[in-house]
Amino acid sequence: MKIKNSKDNIKLAGLLPVMLGATLLLIVLRCLQLTRYIDSTTGFLTGGSFLNVLFYAIIALTCIFFAVVSFLSVDGGKVELTGLKDKYAGIGCAVFAASLIYDFMDSFIDGLAICTELPFETYRNGAELAKALMATGALPYVLQALFALLSALYVIILAKSFIKGSGHAHNRKLLAAAPIAWASFKLITRFIKQISYIKVSDLFLELIMISFMIMFFIALSQVVSGVYSDDSRWRITALGFGGALISFIVSVPRFVFTVFASDFVNKEYPFSFDDAMFGIFALLVALAAVKSVKKEA
């Protein structure tokens, strides 16, 4: 008996209200965490066990809800992004591409700065140099910068495809893998520091967010390129709404406190332009996926 995309009475349109409600609630809880239960100098949790459990439980349950609805709904199997005309998705792509260009410059400068701090003797030994470049994060940052630039190019092509309703992005199968590589190297840079990845709340949320990024980009590349797309259509809404949710609860409180109360923001985990723009991009692409089902109907 087929379960996947078999329920006609479950609609993807119901995902957006849940997404908006959960995002608002979680942003409020996150702001409360940052002001009362997180040490802004170290990033470690200092209390509020019940609030922390509630916070992560809501995230988990909401993301599971997105996945279950997308997987079971008949609409989830009808999602089609190739040749879809949606100006809002195109705008989402454009702002995300701009953030990727910024990340290219920022990551390249970070990688270059680390390289200049390495002892001169390190450059005389190839094996030691490779080890140092990886251990210090210089190489991951440079590769993140490279793939950020390639990703920006792909997302710009995707923006044009959405705005014109063309299939230009469909023919860029190799370039479609660039955002996956970008997010993967972004994830690697988070593992450079020897620290508790669970007790540092900011870092833990970033790891979850980037994991969603990687899975969303894989699904997006498959659906847009037509490679195993039938198995991945439902993941666009499941991972798009989930990724946007986590992006917003990471980025919005940081932005607000950066502007109005910077003492509550850990300097190691500042507001990130590309993280915030990913949330907008993922949300608008997921909404375009929902609308594509309505157009087909």
Side-chain angles (χ1 to χ4, degrees):
M1 179 180 177
K2 180 183 178 183
I3 299 178
K4 178 181 175 184
N5 303 134
S6 62
K7 303 298 181 181
D8 189 51
N9 60 331
I10 300 177
K11 302 297 182 182
L12 295 180
L15 296 178
L16 181 60
V18 175
M19 157 71 187
L20 296 177
T23 299
L24 181 59
L25 174 60
L26 287 166
I27 286 175
V28 172
L29 293 178
R30 182 61 181 164
C31 289
L32 186 59
Q33 271 189 325
L34 289 171
T35 55
R36 297 194 61 181
Y37 301 118
I38 294 178
D39 186 337
S40 60
T41 57
T42 64
F44 280 85
L45 293 166
T46 58
S49 298
F50 175 76
L51 179 65
N52 296 329
V53 171
L54 178 64
F55 178 73
Y56 290 113
I58 294 174
I59 293 176
L61 291 173
T62 306
C63 291
I64 290 172
F65 174 78
F66 293 152
V68 170
V69 170
S70 300
F71 183 81
L72 294 179
S73 175
V74 169
D75 293 347
K78 297 179 180 178
V79 168
E80 182 57 76
L81 298 179
T82 303
L84 177 65
K85 187 174 183 179
D86 190 296
K87 66 176 182 179
Y88 295 109
I91 293 171
C93 291
V95 296
F96 184 48
S99 73
L100 286 169
I101 293 173
Y102 174 82
D103 185 68
F104 157 70
M105 296 183 290
D106 188 49
S107 299
F108 184 76
I109 291 172
D110 285 343
L112 191 62
I114 294 173
C115 288
T116 59
E117 294 175 358
L118 292 176
F120 180 75
E121 293 75 16
T122 307
Y123 290 92
R124 296 181 177 180
N125 188 313
E128 286 297 320
L129 177 60
K131 182 180 178 181
L133 290 176
M134 195 65 191
T136 58
L139 183 59
Y141 273 121
V142 170
L143 291 174
Q144 179 182 327
L146 171 63
F147 283 107
L149 189 60
L150 293 175
S151 298
L153 177 60
Y154 175 71
V155 176
I156 289 171
I157 295 172
L158 190 60
K160 291 181 179 179
S161 296
F162 278 127
I163 292 172
K164 295 182 178 180
S166 67
H168 292 313
H170 174 74
N171 301 318
R172 304 295 191 276
K173 294 178 175 60
L174 186 60
L175 195 59
I180 304 171
W182 168 74
S184 298
F185 283 110
K186 187 180 176 74
L187 184 66
I188 290 173
T189 61
R190 300 304 188 273
F191 285 104
I192 293 170
K193 297 178 182 177
Q194 298 297 320
I195 199 168
S196 173
Y197 299 105
I198 295 178
K199 291 183 179 180
V200 179
S201 180
D202 282 290
L203 180 56
F204 185 57
L205 281 174
E206 284 190 2
L207 294 176
I208 298 173
M209 178 185 64
I210 298 172
S211 298
F212 267 86
M213 281 184 182
I214 294 172
M215 292 186 292
F216 177 72
F217 288 137
I218 292 173
L220 182 66
S221 66
Q222 290 177 323
V223 173
V224 173
S225 301
V227 179
Y228 300 111
S229 57
D230 290 339
D231 294 329
S232 301
R233 297 184 193 280
W234 68 273
R235 295 174 186 164
I236 296 297
T237 51
L239 299 170
F241 283 115
L245 171 76
I246 299 173
S247 170
F248 291 147
I249 62 179
V250 167
S251 303
V252 173
R254 285 182 185 175
F255 177 75
V256 171
F257 286 126
T258 297
V259 175
F260 297 105
S262 60
D263 289 343
F264 291 117
V265 180
N266 189 315
K267 300 302 183 290
E268 293 291 327
Y269 308 101
F271 171 75
S272 172
F273 184 44
D274 54 281
D275 289 347
M277 293 306 103
F278 166 76
I280 295 174
F281 165 72
L283 176 60
L284 292 178
V285 170
L287 289 175
V290 174
K291 286 187 279 186
S292 74
V293 176
K294 295 181 179 179
K295 289 181 180 179
E296 184 179 311

